[in-house]
Amino acid sequence: MAKFIDSTFVRDMCNITRQSYDNGWDERNGGNMSIRIKPEELTDYDDIKTVKRTFDLGFDASALAGQYFLVTGTGRYFRNVFQNTEQDLGLVKISADGKKGEIVWGYTDGAMPTSEFPTHLMNHIARLKLDSNQRVVMHCHVTNLIAMSFTQPLNEKYFSKIIWKMQAESMPVLPEGLGIIPYETPGTTIIGEHTAAKVADGFRVVMWPHHGMFAVGDTPDECFGLIETVEKAATIFTAIQAQGGNRLDEITDKQLVEIAKYFHVSPRKGFLD
Ligand code: 2HA
Ligand code: ZN
């Protein structure tokens, strides 16, 4: 029988958290990540069969009953996950009534899932309604996009067009654009509800002003790639501002439409009209 710590799910989580930290996006305990795992993907592991602890989820997650989530622990540092793996990660099964989380692996020193776990679950639910392959939710504190949330109008069309124009290949990666919610207190269920409404509207990346970015995806690579692409655009925008802010030449709206046609993607309705 295999050990869960040797699974690709744990390996992906270790790689992504470390890479995100190395990119400067997860100071201290900043950031959190979860991967949905189906029961049939866990049959080989004998060390996840007993429930060690349970906790209240605080909302109705019955849409995910019986599903498992590998999730970073509250207060834990992305910097350490690759070496403190069994302490800093936990595998949580959603109870049959959808009200409780059942810890079946990890959090060996008594940790609990990230404070944003209800937000993660709400967004897994919202995205699964549009995409049955949805698996990954990730949140991190990307520097340049956070900075832009202070200096630029918090308008989805405006931000999406900046992201598309900063780099010719942003459009095929993120044709639906960037969702934006109002500033909210971290860890509250209201931040989860607002973000899930954006995800239900087709956004895979949502900006949390003055806080960070939130992304969903089918794979760790998709989710991380979305975050990288948006933050890369925000970094180029920041460099342009540092060089005086003039854009003597840039990708036009018409050229964005041409890129979308060439890559067979549909830009969000209303953003290029
Ligand atoms: O996990 O980033 O938003 C710590 C946070 C909360
Ligand atoms: Zn955060």
Side-chain angles (χ1 to χ4, degrees), residues 168 171-172 251 254-265:
M171 168 61 81
I251 300 172
K254 188 164 165 281
Q255 286 168 328
L256 286 177
V257 172
E258 281 162 14
I259 296 171
K261 262 198 200 129
Y262 183 77
F263 284 95
H264 306 291
V265 297

Side-chain angles (χ1 to χ4, degrees), residues 205-226:
V205 188
V206 178
M207 177 168 78
W208 290 356
H210 325 315
H211 181 165
M213 208 189 298
F214 188 93
V216 300
D218 291 1
T219 62
D221 272 352
E222 182 195 356
C223 201
F224 194 76
L226 290 169

